[in-house]
Amino acid sequence: MSGQENSGSSKLWGGRFAETTAASVEAFTASIQYDARLFRHDIMGSMVHARMLARQGLISNEERDAILAGLAEIRDEIEAGTFEFRPELEDIHMNIEKSLTDRIGPAGAKLHTARSRNDQVALDLRLYLRDEGRELDQLLAGLQEALVRLARRYLGAVMPGYTHLQRAQPVLLSHHLLAYHEMFDRDRGRIRDWLARMNVLPLGAAAMAGTGLPIDREWVAAELGFSGVSANSMDTVSDRDFALELLFCLNLVQLHLSRLSEELVLWASKEFEFVRIGDRYCTGSSIMPQKKNPDIPELIRGKSGRVTGALVSLLMTVKGLPLTYNRDLQEDKEPVFDALDTVKASLAIAAELLANTTFDQDRLRQATRGGFMTATDLADYLVRRNMPFREAHGVVGRIVAHCQERGIELEDMSLEEMREFSDRIEADIFDVLSVEGSVNSRLSTGGTALARVEEALRRAEQQLGIAR
Ligand code: ARG
């Protein structure tokens, strides 16, 4: 196989070659299978490039118009699924350019004036990812909305808050849900920051040193909605920071989704029974008739592995590359596309899943009983009565040990019993030890008191434009 040659037509770059390319080489180097999805952005960039060439007198207006018409035709055919991609033409750029030249003749051959595939592919990827970034923001907002709607619906429901997965202090379910709203808010901010930094035109760097032809990069940048042009032609064609940064952003999104998923899996178990996921969003077992499994959150959790793989893969590809463009960089696309597809699908299904999840408020409340979750409140009560916190901690520790010995809870103790540990304890202690009393005492900014959570909820609703 390795010595076999293709019978095909000459390459766009075929001039200096005496032999045709080996078929095995064509198969090994082709990227059209996955970079075809860049076609819209490739054509968008080429159209603006052609208009710039005409403005600069590098091609005639007739040539420009022929190019624009030809490209529009190609775009329509690709969209309609009637365009024939040819693997021997390597990538999306060559497939489009060759087809253009076949259609319109010599004018097509002028499109690549003052341009290299090295700056072209950098342009295509930035344009493509810019659109994806905006879509990601929409999906994140959709998920936030699902969380906020749940937080509104269950406002007032209490549940245990955990540290070390041990019952720690009672909180509002809405407070817990809004914690995820915050995480996804940071994700949206990170994507905005990334978009602003990456929105710079690479076209005009040409192969790597710039061009001697009189191009107008600033005009192209403005036409394509970039906020500026890249500063160094060598950096421009070898830089993939923008792809890596996006992959990191995607990793945090998927990580947040994974943590949420883990909680849903746990909470859907018989041991917890905090949530009920709608039947349409669960699957059964092929052998155990009674099973209803939370496969969606499990898969979201599981897919975080491949998203991390994508980041590590591209980091390793770029590490150790000399300046400037190296063909290794073609390996940027598959991990980026796969991570994007995975995260977008996970975000969409997670929002649907939450919209089809209900909470069992009685179970949540029951779980706040037992586990001495108001022990900190008792200590704080003693502090308010002037006992140093460390001393109060000791007193409450002894009370808890006493309860454990007798197999009772804090709230089961009589006043006299408690006063044996400290005479600063009085009858008002029972308000403090109630779950609601504990929750609503936590009025510090960002705390779980109902008043605070209501404020946070209103802010989130306003930000998302959710009418009440
Ligand atoms: N398919 C290539 C890529 O994805 C396009 C750039 C090719 N440049 C080159 N000098 N071979 O990176």
Side-chain angles (χ1 to χ4, degrees), residues 29 31 35 90-91 93 116-118 121 240 325-327 329-333:
T29 56
S31 56
D35 66 16
E90 279 183 45
D91 55 25
H93 327 295
S116 155
R117 269 187 299 159
N118 299 349
V121 71
R240 289 296 180 273
Y325 179 84
N326 300 273
R327 191 62 180 268
L329 292 176
Q330 180 169 295
E331 289 291 309
D332 59 357
K333 287 168 208 68

Side-chain angles (χ1 to χ4, degrees), residues 196-251:
R197 193 163 31 256
M198 73 97 88
N199 196 27
V200 164
L201 176 80
L203 204 64
M208 65 105 167
T211 173
L213 295 167
I215 60 171
D216 186 347
R217 297 189 69 202
E218 284 71 19
W219 185 84
V220 172
E223 282 296 301
L224 288 171
F226 286 107
S227 56
V229 302
S230 63
N232 180 301
S233 62
M234 296 180 76
D235 175 46
T236 301
V237 295
S238 69
D239 168 35
R240 289 296 180 273
D241 291 0
F242 63 97
L244 287 166
E245 271 189 53
L246 171 62
L247 282 173
F248 179 72
C249 294
L250 291 173
N251 265 272

Side-chain angles (χ1 to χ4, degrees), residues 37 128 132 336-346:
R37 69 160 84 185
Y128 180 84
E132 292 287 303
V336 169
F337 294 160
D338 185 68
L340 271 170
D341 293 348
T342 303
V343 173
K344 286 196 303 182
S346 300

Side-chain angles (χ1 to χ4, degrees), residues 191 195 344 366 379 463:
I191 287 166
L195 274 171
K344 286 196 303 182
Q366 262 173 42
Q463 185 208 326

Side-chain angles (χ1 to χ4, degrees), residues 299-339:
L299 273 171
I300 294 175
R301 190 178 60 187
K303 283 177 191 291
S304 50
R306 67 196 285 167
V307 180
T308 300
L311 171 63
V312 175
S313 161
L314 187 56
L315 281 169
M316 289 305 101
T317 296
V318 176
K319 175 192 174 295
L321 284 189
L323 293 183
T324 55
Y325 179 84
N326 300 273
R327 191 62 180 268
D328 312 49
L329 292 176
Q330 180 169 295
E331 289 291 309
D332 59 357
K333 287 168 208 68
E334 282 175 293
V336 169
F337 294 160
D338 185 68

